[in-house]
Amino acid sequence: MDGAVGAVAAVAAPPSSEPPQPLPDLDTEGFWQATARGELALCRCHDCLLWVQPPLERCPSCAGPTSFQPVSGIGRVFSFIVVRHPAVSGFEHELPMVVAIVELEEQVGLRLTSRIVGPLEEVEIGSRVVAELVALPGGDFHAPVFRPT
Amino acid sequence: MARTGCAITGIGRTTFTRRSGRTTLAMAAEACRAAVADAGLTMPDVDGMIAFQAGDSVGPLSVSRAVGIPELAWNIDVLGGGNVVANIVATAGAAIDAGLCRAVLVYRSLNGRSGYRFGTSTSRQQVGGEMQFDAPHGYLVPPQWIAMWARRHQHEYGSTCDDLGQIAITQRTHATANEHAINRSPLSLDEYRAGRWINEPFRIYDCAYEIDGAVAILVVGPELAESCAVAPAWLIGSADSQSGDGWTQWDDPTSMYSRHAAPRLWNRTGLSAAEIDVACMYDCFTYTVMATIEDFGFCAKGGVGEYFSSGRATYGGDVVVNPHGGLLSEGYIHGLNHYFEAALQLQGRAGERQVPDARRALVTAGAGPYGGATVLSADRP
Ligand SMILES: [Zn+2]
């Protein structure tokens, strides 16, 4: 009966010790194809040159076509947390870890949320960081992390 | 106008526990029966239902059967969290105004501690959509997102963890007078500071206390409201704001949805923060209270710690914030317990924790880019 009224089944999978994996779709797969090549590339509008993250098939500003273009990977820490409670599977042995919103130099407001690697005490809002790509355990994906420079 | 002619009358709930040992259906049915009985009505008077869930509750058709309503003239089951509560209450009123039904049960039932927990993510192995970029970094749960926003507020306005602590302490003090609250022991600043870190800058006391339970409120039209057994808490205004910018791209995390919803609400009602007696502020985390208190205009940016520590947010101050203890101390029924408390206060039935001469209540619901708010009044508009 619940299915008929639009509800979804409660999730009851067993806890996992592997980190969650991305599930790419037609709009996002270019990001993951780039990281597999060792490149950080983000969605950009051909017509007005706006960077668009998360990616879209068309530019939200001018509706122009988009494609994935390389970025420098250089940015600054916009905000950060120190994760100490193992709320998400796959990181139990990594704690404490720093997760930050990084604003990339290409565009005001162009941000990625990622782990910060290196000495935790060096992380502050405004810290300059640079991306590197790491293999994500438990699958075939590579993801960007950031290191203070 | 976002004003309906409707009111909350009857209210109902189960006990709040750490392990209910019951189905969400059984609890929803108990809360709904209690709300209808409280109003002095019977089940045949009810012809509408609306609820919200995140795959962790039970739909209106199951609940209507459980309480003996043979069919519903109107029902909606919304997939969503605390951010949708103000909207579904307003929608219930709008459905009545539109003549689609005449009495609507709004409920929320969850085994939020013994069942699916919002603060953890142990089962999502593959994450699609916009969150696929956060998934590889384990950035998937609200105590991370909102701690991230709190840090930015600390950076820009110099707010501190102690400021957040003042919110937790005030609300816990309120909960000591609430026998329904799950956490009733007073909290000192030293205890707050000694609380274990969850995600810095959040400690355990900054987080809502997840529990099992259900709450139901009955929304009815004006004629029925005047004939109910309890005084109506009139729905005199509602406003929502939901943004697709999400937790990473939202431009300014020192404000929340309320930077849009608050002016919209005050404009629609002609009211301001100064005219509110009771403020049930959605408090999934302390920082949600901080950002929304500022956005609704109770105090200036960066002033919330002082606002709480100096007594302006409690009895004898400007406004009583979360007299029931809120989600932090009464427990996390996903914000619908805030509507229960607001109605109870306006009806003058809050007992030991009654806010003197409570005439108007603000209820907020949601956090970050997603939320809404309602103004309730003891006086018919
Ligand atoms: Zn464009």
Side-chain angles (χ1 to χ4, degrees):
Chain A
M1 179 178 286
D2 275 349
V5 293
V8 298
V11 177
S16 159
S17 62
E18 288 182 346
Q21 305 291 310
L23 185 61
D25 59 31
L26 291 171
D27 295 338
T28 66
E29 64 186 7
F31 177 91
W32 301 109
Q33 288 162 354
T35 59
R37 294 193 304 268
E39 194 170 70
L40 182 63
L42 295 179
C43 177
R44 192 176 201 189
C45 176
H46 279 250
D47 293 345
C48 75
L49 304 182
L50 183 74
W51 295 95
V52 180
Q53 171 60 23
L56 294 168
E57 183 198 50
R58 290 271 167 176
C59 173
S61 176
C62 77
T66 62
S67 65
F68 286 84
Q69 303 294 325
V71 290
S72 66
I74 296 168
R76 293 194 182 272
V77 172
F78 178 77
S79 192
F80 70 98
I81 56 174
V82 183
V83 179
R84 294 190 180 273
H85 178 70
V88 179
S89 296
F91 299 93
E92 295 84 354
H93 306 297
E94 313 277 335
L95 305 183
M97 66 179 188
V98 173
V99 176
I101 297 176
V102 173
E103 187 152 314
L104 299 172
E105 65 178 5
E106 275 77 6
Q107 179 176 294
V108 172
L110 180 65
R111 301 179 192 152
L112 289 172
T113 298
S114 290
R115 292 184 59 182
I116 303 288
V117 296
L120 302 188
E121 58 275 13
E122 289 181 12
V123 180
E124 292 174 19
I125 289 179
S127 295
R128 189 174 184 273
V129 291
V130 62
E132 52 190 69
L133 296 170
V134 297
L136 186 64
D140 301 324
F141 292 96
H142 289 72
V145 297
F146 286 84
R147 185 181 295 277
T149 62
Chain B
M1 288 300 291
R3 170 177 298 179
T4 74
C6 297
I8 297 171
T9 57
I11 51 181
R13 59 186 175 183
T14 64
T15 56
F16 299 160
T17 67
R18 291 173 177 81
R19 179 171 287 277
S20 71
R22 303 171 69 192
T23 61
T24 51
L25 174 58
M27 294 190 296
E30 180 187 336
C32 287
R33 280 193 201 96
V36 173
D38 187 48
L41 299 177
T42 60
M43 283 302 167
D45 297 316
V46 177
D47 59 356
M49 274 193 186
I50 187 166
F52 67 103
Q53 59 167 305
D56 58 345
S57 185
V58 58
L61 301 191
S62 299
V63 176
S64 63
R65 171 182 164 267
V67 298
I69 299 173
E71 58 91 28
L72 292 168
W74 180 84
N75 87 96
I76 299 181
D77 192 12
V78 178
L79 197 60
N83 61 306
V84 304
V85 188
N87 196 15
I88 69 170
V89 172
T91 302
I96 294 169
D97 282 350
L100 299 176
C101 51
R102 60 191 212 117
V104 178
L105 276 165
V106 182
Y107 67 85
R108 178 73 171 111
S109 179
L110 72 170
N111 281 316
R113 191 163 201 90
S114 66
Y116 172 73
R117 294 188 66 166
F118 275 78
T120 61
S121 173
T122 54
S123 52
R124 275 185 285 182
Q125 297 312 301
Q126 285 191 302
V127 179
E130 290 153 5
M131 286 169 66
Q132 67 187 268
F133 301 97
D134 305 327
H137 311 286
Y139 188 66
L140 289 174
V141 293
Q144 300 170 335
W145 306 330
I146 297 171
M148 186 77 86
W149 285 38
R151 172 91 68 185
R152 186 72 199 181
H153 191 284
Q154 294 183 349
H155 174 75
E156 289 202 28
Y157 291 100
S159 61
T160 64
C161 289
D162 279 3
D163 291 342
L164 297 173
Q166 294 297 339
I167 297 167
I169 290 165
T170 297
Q171 292 194 193
R172 182 62 64 81
T173 302
H174 294 168
T176 61
N178 177 8
E179 74 282 354
H180 218 80
I182 198 104
N183 288 318
R184 301 185 62 195
S185 316
L187 179 68
S188 70
L189 187 57
D190 284 344
E191 286 170 303
Y192 171 82
R193 288 171 175 164
R196 69 184 165 91
W197 290 113
I198 301 299
N199 302 294
E200 294 177 37
F202 280 174
R203 297 182 170 92
I204 185 74
Y205 297 114
D206 292 300
C207 304
Y209 199 92
E210 292 172 299
I211 53 167
D212 297 356
V215 168
I217 62 174
L218 185 67
V219 176
V220 301
E223 294 74 26
L224 201 51
E226 297 285 12
S227 69
C228 281
V230 292
W234 299 98
L235 300 170
I236 65 165
S238 180
D240 233 54
S241 176
Q242 315 273 341
S243 168
D245 282 348
W247 296 99
T248 293
Q249 309 299 330
W250 176 267
D251 62 343
D252 180 10
T254 68
S255 287
M256 294 188 167
Y257 71 90
S258 34
R259 82 177 196 219
H260 303 295
R264 198 168 280 157
L265 183 68
W266 298 141
N267 184 48
R268 286 172 179 173
T269 58
L271 297 171
S272 70
E275 293 159 283
I276 299 298
D277 305 307
V278 177
C280 292
M281 306 299 291
Y282 192 80
D283 55 330
C284 48
F285 303 93
T286 49
Y287 176 63
T288 309
V289 178
M290 177 179 282
T292 56
I293 283 261
E294 292 174 345
D295 286 345
F296 277 94
F298 288 93
C299 76
K301 297 298 286 182
V304 172
E306 165 76 13
Y307 188 80
F308 276 79
S309 65
S310 64
R312 292 177 65 188
T314 191
Y315 299 84
D318 297 10
V319 62
V320 183
V321 175
N322 291 334
H324 53 328
L327 310 177
L328 298 173
S329 288
E330 187 183 66
Y332 184 68
I333 308 290
H334 230 150
L336 196 60
N337 43 330
H338 281 13
Y339 283 86
F340 184 106
E341 178 70 11
L344 198 73
Q345 291 284 349
L346 296 181
Q347 291 165 340
R349 297 194 287 166
E352 195 185 337
R353 68 176 188 281
Q354 179 65 45
V355 175
D357 196 30
R359 306 307 296 172
R360 290 197 195 94
L362 171 70
V363 184
T364 68
Y370 323 104
T374 310
V375 178
L376 296 167
S377 174
D379 304 303
R380 185 168 177 172

